[in-house]
Amino acid sequence: MKGTREAPQCGFSRAVVQVMELQGVDFKTVNVLADEEIRSGIKEYSSWPTIPQVYVKGEFVGGCDIVVNMMQSGELTKLLVEKGLVAPEEEQK
């Protein structure tokens, strides 16, 4: 992402941080602005041209728009539950 979890440097990165925090998942960020090699390398690695990029357990999920859409549809919660990163909804209550 551009910036850090504590200080996102663009609106798309901020939106992804907010989504992940709403999901209650523990996550890490990498500031691509701090290292041009990482910034260009991650785009090649995923074949995805934009940043931020979201990975769950090492699998590329998508960028901001995809993650926001997945949250709105419930797909993101389902994925995070399947990967063991959040408890099923009935267990969270």
Side-chain angles (χ1 to χ4, degrees):
M1 68 179 286
K2 294 179 181 176
T4 63
R5 179 179 185 167
E6 296 77 21
Q9 297 295 307
C10 78
F12 299 113
S13 293
R14 183 176 324 281
V16 168
V17 167
Q18 290 173 336
V19 165
M20 292 305 190
E21 288 178 347
L22 282 170
Q23 293 291 312
V25 67
D26 186 29
F27 65 98
K28 294 180 172 53
T29 61
V30 175
N31 182 3
V32 300
L33 298 177
D35 188 329
E36 182 57 39
E37 192 172 316
I38 291 174
R39 185 176 185 170
S40 60
I42 195 70
K43 292 177 182 181
E44 290 176 31
Y45 177 78
S46 66
S47 298
W48 192 260
T50 60
I51 295 170
Q53 295 183 6
V54 176
Y55 292 79
V56 174
K57 296 267 186 161
E59 279 183 50
F60 178 63
V61 175
C64 178
D65 291 344
I66 290 173
V67 170
V68 168
N69 287 338
M70 288 178 72
M71 182 196 71
Q72 292 170 340
S73 72
E75 289 178 68
L76 184 59
T77 301
K78 182 179 175 188
L79 173 66
L80 296 173
V81 168
E82 286 173 359
K83 297 293 185 177
L85 298 173
V86 296
E89 205 169 306
E90 58 271 5
E91 290 180 24
Q92 293 177 3
K93 295 180 181 176

